[in-house]
């Protein structure tokens, strides 16, 4: 379990003991100094609640991301953007690709300086935006480190041509267009 979670064995044991004390998990001895852990009915109910909260949060993120990406891409299309790049591989990039289909925008690829893949949703993935064909603008889709990615991207293209969803909480110069709430 510690290896699966990527945490120390001692921390894993502490969490398991806490779950046992709370009545979420039951422990039984197994042969050869081993233990078997079982979810109790209370633990199963807690797991169900956590799953429901996770799914609710995921659906909420998707709706907000879809609404904001759609609004930004519509704004970009109104400004004459026809070819855009995404900056950042992940869930937000998936949403953006779907939204781009609703507008007359071609997503030419995805730039991500940390990416270790060559393609994403049949789009080329590059480490540097300059490796992509010419673009009219870019949509920031890095939800892991959005501020840092925005700053890297702003060194490569005019910040006014960078579309930034509000849900990323990126700070840019005041008055610059391109945020979903602007």
């Amino acid at each position: 379990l510690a290896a699966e979670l990527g945490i120390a064995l001692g921390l894993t044991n502490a969490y398991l003991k806490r779950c046992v004390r709370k009545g979420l998990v039951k422990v039984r001895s197994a042969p050869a100094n081993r233990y078997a852990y079982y979810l109790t009915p209370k633990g199963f109910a807690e797991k169900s609640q956590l799953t429901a909260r996770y799914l609710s949060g995921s659906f909420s993120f998707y709706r907000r991301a879809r609404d904001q990406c759609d609004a930004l891409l519509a704004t970009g299309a109104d400004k004459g953007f026809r070819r855009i790049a995404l900056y950042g591989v992940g869930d937000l990039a998936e949403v953006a690709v779907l939204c781009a289909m609703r507008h007359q925008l071609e997503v030419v690829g995805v730039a991500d300086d940390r990416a270790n893949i060559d393609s994403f949703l049949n789009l080329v993935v590059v480490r540097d935006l300059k490796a992509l064909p010419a673009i009219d603008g870019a949509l920031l889709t890095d939800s892991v480190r959005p501020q840092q990615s925005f700053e890297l991207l702003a060194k490569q293209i005019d910040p006014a041509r960078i579309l930034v969803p509000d849900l990323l909480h990126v700070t840019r110069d005041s008055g610059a267009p391109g945020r979903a709430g602007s």
Side-chain angles (χ1 to χ4, degrees):
L1 185 58
E4 185 76 22
L5 294 172
I7 60 176
L9 182 60
L11 185 58
T12 304
N13 285 328
Y15 281 126
L16 277 172
K17 287 178 184 177
R18 181 185 295 168
C19 288
V20 170
R21 278 195 309 274
K22 286 184 171 188
L24 304 174
V25 174
K26 187 183 281 189
V27 62
R28 289 209 174 115
S29 294
N33 283 342
R34 294 180 179 254
Y35 298 95
Y37 295 90
Y38 302 93
L39 276 180
T40 64
K42 182 178 176 183
F44 187 77
E46 179 73 15
K47 180 180 177 186
S48 297
Q49 288 176 349
L50 289 171
T51 301
R53 273 188 267 165
Y54 172 79
L55 290 174
S56 176
S58 294
F59 290 137
S60 176
F61 169 81
Y62 172 78
R63 278 191 227 76
R64 286 183 19 237
R66 182 196 59 211
D67 292 347
Q68 291 179 23
C69 285
D70 196 50
L72 287 168
L73 293 171
T75 298
D78 290 345
K79 290 180 180 181
F81 291 7
R82 294 294 169 249
R83 297 169 51 86
I84 64 164
L86 304 180
Y87 198 90
V89 172
D91 294 340
L92 189 53
E94 284 189 50
V95 172
V97 168
L98 292 173
C99 289
M101 290 179 192
R102 296 182 49 170
H103 305 279
Q104 293 182 347
L105 293 170
E106 177 189 357
V107 178
V108 299
V110 184
D112 190 324
D113 62 308
R114 295 169 296 135
N116 56 3
I117 56 175
D118 296 327
S119 69
F120 176 78
L121 300 176
N122 294 323
L123 295 169
V124 64
V125 175
V126 297
R127 295 181 68 82
D128 187 338
L129 190 66
K130 294 173 186 165
L132 291 174
I135 58 169
D136 301 311
L139 177 62
L140 184 63
T141 54
D142 183 351
S143 58
V144 175
R145 52 177 199 151
Q147 187 67 48
Q148 186 178 359
S149 288
F150 173 78
E151 291 165 8
L152 288 170
L153 186 55
K155 291 177 183 175
Q156 298 177 53
I157 67 170
D158 178 0
R161 294 178 31 213
I162 304 172
L163 306 172
V164 182
D166 284 340
L167 62 85
L168 294 178
H169 305 289
V170 168
T171 303
R172 66 156 84 215
D173 294 336
S174 61
R179 291 191 60 180
S182 297

